[in-house]
C-alpha cells in the first residue's frame, strides 16, 4: 500500500487525516535534496524498519522489522564518510546524529528508504518518520506525527508498503 503525506502536512490514516510536521525549509524535489538543507524530499520511499526506545515504551505493534535503540546508536551524516546515511555506533569519528535522545522525538522511528541504495554523498541522510514536538514544530527534514498516530501507522503498515510525500 502507498501511504500519502501531503506537502501541507497531513497523512491519511484509518479514514482520518492526521497532522504531520515537515522540514523547516518546507519540501523539495528529491533530486534537489542536499545534506543539512532542512527540507523534506518529495517522492515515494520504501518503509525499511522501526527503531524504538524500549526503556520508555513497549515494542510497537508492527510486522515490520523492529529493534530497540541502544544508547550508543548514531546515524552518519558526513557526506565524505564511508558510512554516510548509515547507522553507526557512538562514539564515531565523523559527523553523526545521536539516535538516543532525551526529548522523545526518537522514541519511535520509522526508517524510510531515502538515498540509501546506495547512498549518494551529500544527497541527504536520515529521512525518518518520528514523534512530533508538542507544537508540531518543523523538523530538520523528516516527517513527525503524534506518537499515537505513529503507533497506529505502524500497526497498519505491511512489508513492501511505501510512504509518499506529495
Amino acid at each position: 500500500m502507498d501511504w500519502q503525506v501531503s506537502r501541507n502536512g497531513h497523512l491519511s490514516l484509518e479514514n482520518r487525516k492526521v497532522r504531520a510536521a515537515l522540514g523547516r525549509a518546507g519540501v523539495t524535489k528529491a533530486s534537489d535534496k542536499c545534506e543539512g538543507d532542512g527540507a523534506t524530499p518529495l517522492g515515494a520511499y520504501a518503509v525499511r524498519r522501526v527503531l524504538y526506545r524500549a526503556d520508555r515504551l513497549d515494542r510497537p505493534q508492527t510486522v515490520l522489522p523492529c529493534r530497540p535503540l541502544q544508547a550508543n546508536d548514531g546515524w552518519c551524516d558526513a557526506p565524505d564518510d564511508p558510512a554516510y546515511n548509515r547507522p553507526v555506533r557512538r562514539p564515531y569519528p565523523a559527523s553523526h546524529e545521536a539516535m538516543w535522545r532525551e526529548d522523545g522525538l526518537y522514541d519511535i522511528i520509522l526508517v524510510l528508504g531515502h538515498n540509501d541504495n546506495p547512498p549518494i554523498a551529500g544527497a541527504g541522510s536520515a529521512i525518518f518518520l518520528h514523534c512530533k514536538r508538542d507544537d508540531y514544530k518543523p523538523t530538520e527534514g523528516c516527517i513527525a506525527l503524534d506518537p499515537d498516530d505513529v503507533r497506529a501507522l505502524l500497526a497498519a503498515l505491511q512489508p513492501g508498503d511505501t510512504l509518499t510525500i506529495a
Side-chain angles (χ1 to χ4, degrees):
M1 181 169 180
D2 183 36
W3 299 82
Q4 299 278 325
V5 177
S6 69
R7 66 178 64 219
N8 65 355
H10 289 93
L11 167 73
S12 294
L13 178 64
E14 300 172 339
N15 300 319
R16 63 189 172 98
K17 273 190 175 178
V18 300
R19 189 171 173 192
L22 300 175
R24 61 179 158 70
V27 297
T28 190
K29 291 190 292 184
S31 60
D32 293 339
K33 177 71 180 151
C34 295
E35 185 64 44
D37 65 3
T40 302
L42 297 168
Y45 301 99
V47 173
R48 299 285 191 226
R49 62 190 172 280
V50 178
L51 306 169
Y52 71 100
R53 287 280 301 258
D55 63 317
R56 293 187 174 170
L57 50 106
D58 292 334
R59 183 187 190 280
Q61 180 185 356
T62 185
V63 296
L64 298 173
C66 184
R67 80 160 179 85
L69 281 167
Q70 303 297 314
N72 63 346
D73 282 340
W75 201 277
C76 183
D77 58 11
D80 58 346
D81 192 84
Y84 179 62
N85 199 24
R86 301 269 189 238
V88 295
R89 293 285 180 219
R90 300 175 67 231
Y92 191 75
S95 177
H96 62 279
E97 181 174 5
M99 303 297 287
W100 189 269
R101 296 175 60 135
E102 296 308 315
D103 60 11
L105 296 182
Y106 285 3
D107 283 2
I108 310 171
I109 303 166
L110 178 60
V111 179
L112 301 177
H114 168 72
N115 189 33
D116 66 343
N117 191 22
I120 297 167
S125 63
I127 303 299
F128 302 136
L129 186 146
H130 60 74
C131 300
K132 68 158 182 79
R133 295 183 197 282
D134 289 337
D135 57 358
Y136 285 91
K137 183 177 177 183
T139 68
E140 294 299 313
C142 294
I143 303 155
L145 304 177
D146 182 271
D148 290 338
D149 294 333
V150 175
R151 285 193 270 288
L153 177 62
L154 291 179
L157 284 167
Q158 297 294 312
D161 283 358
T162 56
L163 187 78
T164 297
I165 305 158

